[in-house]
Amino acid sequence: WLKRPAGCRAGWAGLRRRPCNVHAMTAAGGACMDARGRFQPPSWCRVPTDPVARKQSVRFLAEDTAGAAVVRPGDEVVLADKAVYTIGRADTGVDVRLRGDLASRIHAAICQDGEGRKFLVDLRSTHGTYLGGQRLEPNMPVMWQPEGRGTLGFGPQAEVLALNGGA
């Protein structure tokens, strides 16, 4: 089982000597990596059939002095007409820009399917991506329910995104 599958250009993932994500996740319809270890969206990832009707947004949340979640002004990004939205602290090449010290340059992605459902994917970030308090496996898309919260990083400096609306 440690033998690389025929035709695999992606190599082995991590130190556990397991097959690459291309082959480990093909049956589950998950994400994969290319030969350089970069994220490749799964085959089901596409612009929704009716982007306007399936439009949702993500907004950054912060805590007020009482500990209640409030939206940071001007920090809302509409998700409608792209198959993949990237999240990170890079100055260019990301759709949702993070500000925190715990963010990777390319931290995570939001994938959509043809029905407009959203999936959060950790892109091998240093400090992790969390959905509902559970750390996501790198390159493994997890369905993001409306009003669910995704946390980028861990601890008090983590940035929190809420998925707004319903698809």
Side-chain angles (χ1 to χ4, degrees):
W1 105 275
L2 294 178
K3 184 178 176 187
R4 183 186 322 210
C8 176
R9 296 184 338 213
W12 298 97
L15 299 174
R16 294 188 200 159
R17 304 296 245 157
R18 61 183 179 185
C20 69
N21 286 341
V22 171
H23 301 288
M25 296 169 53
T26 300
C32 60
M33 297 184 302
D34 67 8
R36 294 183 179 168
R38 294 178 301 199
F39 171 72
Q40 292 294 309
S43 59
W44 51 260
C45 186
R46 61 182 46 101
V47 175
T49 52
D50 188 356
V52 175
R54 303 294 185 180
K55 179 173 68 172
Q56 291 178 276
S57 64
V58 289
R59 61 187 189 272
F60 285 94
L61 300 180
E63 288 188 1
D64 64 11
T65 54
V70 295
V71 177
R72 290 189 333 207
D75 282 340
E76 189 162 6
V77 177
V78 174
L79 309 173
D81 59 356
K82 290 178 66 175
V84 178
Y85 292 84
T86 54
I87 304 169
R89 68 170 166 75
D91 291 331
T92 59
V94 295
D95 301 297
V96 180
R97 189 152 189 276
L98 302 175
R99 301 180 196 163
D101 294 333
L102 298 179
S104 298
R105 285 180 289 126
I106 303 293
H107 192 102
I110 302 168
C111 297
Q112 298 191 84
D113 66 9
E115 299 296 317
R117 293 176 293 224
K118 310 303 186 267
F119 296 80
L120 186 59
V121 184
D122 178 76
L123 299 181
R124 300 175 64 203
S125 64
T126 302
H127 296 285
T129 303
Y130 299 80
L131 193 57
Q134 298 294 313
R135 187 171 184 157
L136 303 183
E137 289 289 325
N139 298 311
M140 176 78 75
V142 176
M143 187 179 286
W144 195 355
Q145 298 294 333
E147 304 308 322
R149 293 183 181 185
T151 306
L152 306 152
F154 184 75
Q157 294 181 334
E159 295 183 76
V160 179
L161 286 170
L163 181 61
N164 191 24

PDB file of all heavy atoms in Angstrom, residues 87-107:
ATOM      1  N   ILE A  87      -8.735  32.404   0.494  1.00  0.00           N
ATOM      2  CA  ILE A  87      -8.674  33.180   1.731  1.00  0.00           C
ATOM      3  C   ILE A  87      -7.227  33.184   2.200  1.00  0.00           C
ATOM      4  O   ILE A  87      -6.595  32.129   2.280  1.00  0.00           O
ATOM      5  CB  ILE A  87      -9.553  32.540   2.821  1.00  0.00           C
ATOM      6  CG1 ILE A  87     -11.000  32.385   2.348  1.00  0.00           C
ATOM      7  CG2 ILE A  87      -9.485  33.335   4.116  1.00  0.00           C
ATOM      8  CD1 ILE A  87     -11.850  31.528   3.273  1.00  0.00           C
ATOM      9  N   GLY A  88      -6.684  34.342   2.522  1.00  0.00           N
ATOM     10  CA  GLY A  88      -5.319  34.402   3.031  1.00  0.00           C
ATOM     11  C   GLY A  88      -4.867  35.815   3.307  1.00  0.00           C
ATOM     12  O   GLY A  88      -5.592  36.776   3.069  1.00  0.00           O
ATOM     13  N   ARG A  89      -3.630  35.943   3.802  1.00  0.00           N
ATOM     14  CA  ARG A  89      -3.088  37.260   4.124  1.00  0.00           C
ATOM     15  C   ARG A  89      -2.225  37.839   3.007  1.00  0.00           C
ATOM     16  O   ARG A  89      -1.677  38.938   3.142  1.00  0.00           O
ATOM     17  CB  ARG A  89      -2.310  37.231   5.424  1.00  0.00           C
ATOM     18  CG  ARG A  89      -1.041  36.440   5.386  1.00  0.00           C
ATOM     19  CD  ARG A  89      -0.206  36.654   6.646  1.00  0.00           C
ATOM     20  NE  ARG A  89       0.832  35.653   6.734  1.00  0.00           N
ATOM     21  CZ  ARG A  89       1.940  35.641   6.005  1.00  0.00           C
ATOM     22  NH1 ARG A  89       2.160  36.598   5.133  1.00  0.00           N
ATOM     23  NH2 ARG A  89       2.827  34.671   6.135  1.00  0.00           N
ATOM     24  N   ALA A  90      -2.094  37.146   1.888  1.00  0.00           N
ATOM     25  CA  ALA A  90      -1.292  37.647   0.763  1.00  0.00           C
ATOM     26  C   ALA A  90      -1.863  38.978   0.273  1.00  0.00           C
ATOM     27  O   ALA A  90      -3.065  39.219   0.326  1.00  0.00           O
ATOM     28  CB  ALA A  90      -1.279  36.628  -0.370  1.00  0.00           C
ATOM     29  N   ASP A  91      -0.973  39.836  -0.215  1.00  0.00           N
ATOM     30  CA  ASP A  91      -1.412  41.134  -0.721  1.00  0.00           C
ATOM     31  C   ASP A  91      -2.182  41.009  -2.033  1.00  0.00           C
ATOM     32  O   ASP A  91      -3.029  41.824  -2.343  1.00  0.00           O
ATOM     33  CB  ASP A  91      -0.198  42.051  -0.934  1.00  0.00           C
ATOM     34  CG  ASP A  91       0.430  42.466   0.387  1.00  0.00           C
ATOM     35  OD1 ASP A  91      -0.285  42.544   1.407  1.00  0.00           O
ATOM     36  OD2 ASP A  91       1.647  42.712   0.402  1.00  0.00           O
ATOM     37  N   THR A  92      -1.854  39.985  -2.820  1.00  0.00           N
ATOM     38  CA  THR A  92      -2.540  39.768  -4.093  1.00  0.00           C
ATOM     39  C   THR A  92      -2.884  38.291  -4.218  1.00  0.00           C
ATOM     40  O   THR A  92      -2.305  37.437  -3.557  1.00  0.00           O
ATOM     41  CB  THR A  92      -1.651  40.172  -5.286  1.00  0.00           C
ATOM     42  OG1 THR A  92      -0.457  39.396  -5.251  1.00  0.00           O
ATOM     43  CG2 THR A  92      -1.302  41.651  -5.248  1.00  0.00           C
ATOM     44  N   GLY A  93      -3.847  38.001  -5.085  1.00  0.00           N
ATOM     45  CA  GLY A  93      -4.177  36.605  -5.382  1.00  0.00           C
ATOM     46  C   GLY A  93      -5.139  35.943  -4.425  1.00  0.00           C
ATOM     47  O   GLY A  93      -5.332  34.734  -4.496  1.00  0.00           O
ATOM     48  N   VAL A  94      -5.740  36.708  -3.512  1.00  0.00           N
ATOM     49  CA  VAL A  94      -6.759  36.130  -2.626  1.00  0.00           C
ATOM     50  C   VAL A  94      -8.052  36.923  -2.787  1.00  0.00           C
ATOM     51  O   VAL A  94      -8.041  38.108  -3.106  1.00  0.00           O
ATOM     52  CB  VAL A  94      -6.321  36.112  -1.134  1.00  0.00           C
ATOM     53  CG1 VAL A  94      -5.138  35.196  -0.925  1.00  0.00           C
ATOM     54  CG2 VAL A  94      -6.034  37.493  -0.609  1.00  0.00           C
ATOM     55  N   ASP A  95      -9.162  36.249  -2.576  1.00  0.00           N
ATOM     56  CA  ASP A  95     -10.473  36.895  -2.682  1.00  0.00           C
ATOM     57  C   ASP A  95     -10.941  37.461  -1.345  1.00  0.00           C
ATOM     58  O   ASP A  95     -11.665  38.447  -1.298  1.00  0.00           O
ATOM     59  CB  ASP A  95     -11.507  35.885  -3.199  1.00  0.00           C
ATOM     60  CG  ASP A  95     -11.112  35.345  -4.548  1.00  0.00           C
ATOM     61  OD1 ASP A  95     -11.044  36.138  -5.504  1.00  0.00           O
ATOM     62  OD2 ASP A  95     -10.856  34.129  -4.648  1.00  0.00           O
ATOM     63  N   VAL A  96     -10.552  36.797  -0.260  1.00  0.00           N
ATOM     64  CA  VAL A  96     -10.909  37.229   1.092  1.00  0.00           C
ATOM     65  C   VAL A  96      -9.587  37.444   1.825  1.00  0.00           C
ATOM     66  O   VAL A  96      -8.845  36.493   2.055  1.00  0.00           O
ATOM     67  CB  VAL A  96     -11.771  36.172   1.818  1.00  0.00           C
ATOM     68  CG1 VAL A  96     -12.133  36.640   3.219  1.00  0.00           C
ATOM     69  CG2 VAL A  96     -13.024  35.852   1.004  1.00  0.00           C
ATOM     70  N   ARG A  97      -9.292  38.698   2.159  1.00  0.00           N
ATOM     71  CA  ARG A  97      -7.990  39.017   2.759  1.00  0.00           C
ATOM     72  C   ARG A  97      -8.062  38.989   4.282  1.00  0.00           C
ATOM     73  O   ARG A  97      -8.919  39.623   4.887  1.00  0.00           O
ATOM     74  CB  ARG A  97      -7.517  40.386   2.300  1.00  0.00           C
ATOM     75  CG  ARG A  97      -6.092  40.644   2.737  1.00  0.00           C
ATOM     76  CD  ARG A  97      -5.391  41.597   1.793  1.00  0.00           C
ATOM     77  NE  ARG A  97      -3.984  41.650   2.107  1.00  0.00           N
ATOM     78  CZ  ARG A  97      -3.469  42.435   3.051  1.00  0.00           C
ATOM     79  NH1 ARG A  97      -4.249  43.196   3.769  1.00  0.00           N
ATOM     80  NH2 ARG A  97      -2.172  42.431   3.272  1.00  0.00           N
ATOM     81  N   LEU A  98      -7.144  38.218   4.870  1.00  0.00           N
ATOM     82  CA  LEU A  98      -7.013  38.137   6.315  1.00  0.00           C
ATOM     83  C   LEU A  98      -5.977  39.146   6.794  1.00  0.00           C
ATOM     84  O   LEU A  98      -5.052  39.484   6.062  1.00  0.00           O
ATOM     85  CB  LEU A  98      -6.595  36.721   6.735  1.00  0.00           C
ATOM     86  CG  LEU A  98      -7.537  35.597   6.306  1.00  0.00           C
ATOM     87  CD1 LEU A  98      -6.948  34.246   6.684  1.00  0.00           C
ATOM     88  CD2 LEU A  98      -8.905  35.785   6.936  1.00  0.00           C
ATOM     89  N   ARG A  99      -6.119  39.587   8.036  1.00  0.00           N
ATOM     90  CA  ARG A  99      -5.208  40.578   8.592  1.00  0.00           C
ATOM     91  C   ARG A  99      -4.345  40.023   9.715  1.00  0.00           C
ATOM     92  O   ARG A  99      -3.348  40.614  10.084  1.00  0.00           O
ATOM     93  CB  ARG A  99      -5.996  41.754   9.160  1.00  0.00           C
ATOM     94  CG  ARG A  99      -6.862  42.447   8.172  1.00  0.00           C
ATOM     95  CD  ARG A  99      -7.571  43.582   8.863  1.00  0.00           C
ATOM     96  NE  ARG A  99      -8.688  44.057   8.072  1.00  0.00           N
ATOM     97  CZ  ARG A  99      -9.651  44.791   8.539  1.00  0.00           C
ATOM     98  NH1 ARG A  99      -9.658  45.138   9.805  1.00  0.00           N
ATOM     99  NH2 ARG A  99     -10.617  45.183   7.766  1.00  0.00           N
ATOM    100  N   GLY A 100      -4.772  38.929  10.293  1.00  0.00           N
ATOM    101  CA  GLY A 100      -4.138  38.426  11.506  1.00  0.00           C
ATOM    102  C   GLY A 100      -2.779  37.784  11.311  1.00  0.00           C
ATOM    103  O   GLY A 100      -2.423  37.341  10.219  1.00  0.00           O
ATOM    104  N   ASP A 101      -2.032  37.724  12.402  1.00  0.00           N
ATOM    105  CA  ASP A 101      -0.706  37.115  12.401  1.00  0.00           C
ATOM    106  C   ASP A 101      -0.759  35.600  12.248  1.00  0.00           C
ATOM    107  O   ASP A 101       0.240  34.978  11.903  1.00  0.00           O
ATOM    108  CB  ASP A 101       0.033  37.451  13.702  1.00  0.00           C
ATOM    109  CG  ASP A 101       0.332  38.939  13.819  1.00  0.00           C
ATOM    110  OD1 ASP A 101       0.448  39.605  12.765  1.00  0.00           O
ATOM    111  OD2 ASP A 101       0.449  39.426  14.953  1.00  0.00           O
ATOM    112  N   LEU A 102      -1.900  34.986  12.535  1.00  0.00           N
ATOM    113  CA  LEU A 102      -2.015  33.534  12.461  1.00  0.00           C
ATOM    114  C   LEU A 102      -2.381  33.039  11.067  1.00  0.00           C
ATOM    115  O   LEU A 102      -2.437  31.846  10.830  1.00  0.00           O
ATOM    116  CB  LEU A 102      -3.064  33.031  13.458  1.00  0.00           C
ATOM    117  CG  LEU A 102      -2.779  33.303  14.935  1.00  0.00           C
ATOM    118  CD1 LEU A 102      -3.915  32.782  15.790  1.00  0.00           C
ATOM    119  CD2 LEU A 102      -1.462  32.677  15.353  1.00  0.00           C
ATOM    120  N   ALA A 103      -2.628  33.961  10.160  1.00  0.00           N
ATOM    121  CA  ALA A 103      -3.064  33.581   8.817  1.00  0.00           C
ATOM    122  C   ALA A 103      -1.886  33.250   7.920  1.00  0.00           C
ATOM    123  O   ALA A 103      -0.857  33.911   7.943  1.00  0.00           O
ATOM    124  CB  ALA A 103      -3.878  34.712   8.196  1.00  0.00           C
ATOM    125  N   SER A 104      -2.055  32.222   7.114  1.00  0.00           N
ATOM    126  CA  SER A 104      -1.072  31.876   6.087  1.00  0.00           C
ATOM    127  C   SER A 104      -1.325  32.738   4.855  1.00  0.00           C
ATOM    128  O   SER A 104      -2.411  33.292   4.688  1.00  0.00           O
ATOM    129  CB  SER A 104      -1.194  30.399   5.722  1.00  0.00           C
ATOM    130  OG  SER A 104      -0.921  29.588   6.833  1.00  0.00           O
ATOM    131  N   ARG A 105      -0.319  32.850   3.981  1.00  0.00           N
ATOM    132  CA  ARG A 105      -0.497  33.646   2.762  1.00  0.00           C
ATOM    133  C   ARG A 105      -1.703  33.146   1.968  1.00  0.00           C
ATOM    134  O   ARG A 105      -2.526  33.927   1.517  1.00  0.00           O
ATOM    135  CB  ARG A 105       0.760  33.628   1.903  1.00  0.00           C
ATOM    136  CG  ARG A 105       1.859  34.503   2.470  1.00  0.00           C
ATOM    137  CD  ARG A 105       3.107  34.498   1.619  1.00  0.00           C
ATOM    138  NE  ARG A 105       3.759  33.201   1.751  1.00  0.00           N
ATOM    139  CZ  ARG A 105       4.093  32.413   0.733  1.00  0.00           C
ATOM    140  NH1 ARG A 105       3.869  32.786  -0.484  1.00  0.00           N
ATOM    141  NH2 ARG A 105       4.660  31.256   0.944  1.00  0.00           N
ATOM    142  N   ILE A 106      -1.785  31.862   1.756  1.00  0.00           N
ATOM    143  CA  ILE A 106      -2.970  31.231   1.167  1.00  0.00           C
ATOM    144  C   ILE A 106      -3.437  30.236   2.218  1.00  0.00           C
ATOM    145  O   ILE A 106      -2.881  29.149   2.348  1.00  0.00           O
ATOM    146  CB  ILE A 106      -2.646  30.519  -0.166  1.00  0.00           C
ATOM    147  CG1 ILE A 106      -2.028  31.495  -1.167  1.00  0.00           C
ATOM    148  CG2 ILE A 106      -3.893  29.870  -0.734  1.00  0.00           C
ATOM    149  CD1 ILE A 106      -2.974  32.584  -1.651  1.00  0.00           C
ATOM    150  N   HIS A 107      -4.432  30.593   2.985  1.00  0.00           N
ATOM    151  CA  HIS A 107      -4.822  29.858   4.183  1.00  0.00           C
ATOM    152  C   HIS A 107      -5.895  28.800   3.909  1.00  0.00           C
ATOM    153  O   HIS A 107      -5.792  27.663   4.345  1.00  0.00           O
ATOM    154  CB  HIS A 107      -5.334  30.852   5.230  1.00  0.00           C
ATOM    155  CG  HIS A 107      -5.489  30.277   6.588  1.00  0.00           C
ATOM    156  ND1 HIS A 107      -4.575  30.491   7.589  1.00  0.00           N
ATOM    157  CD2 HIS A 107      -6.454  29.496   7.123  1.00  0.00           C
ATOM    158  CE1 HIS A 107      -4.966  29.860   8.682  1.00  0.00           C
ATOM    159  NE2 HIS A 107      -6.115  29.250   8.419  1.00  0.00           N
TER     160      HIS A 107
END
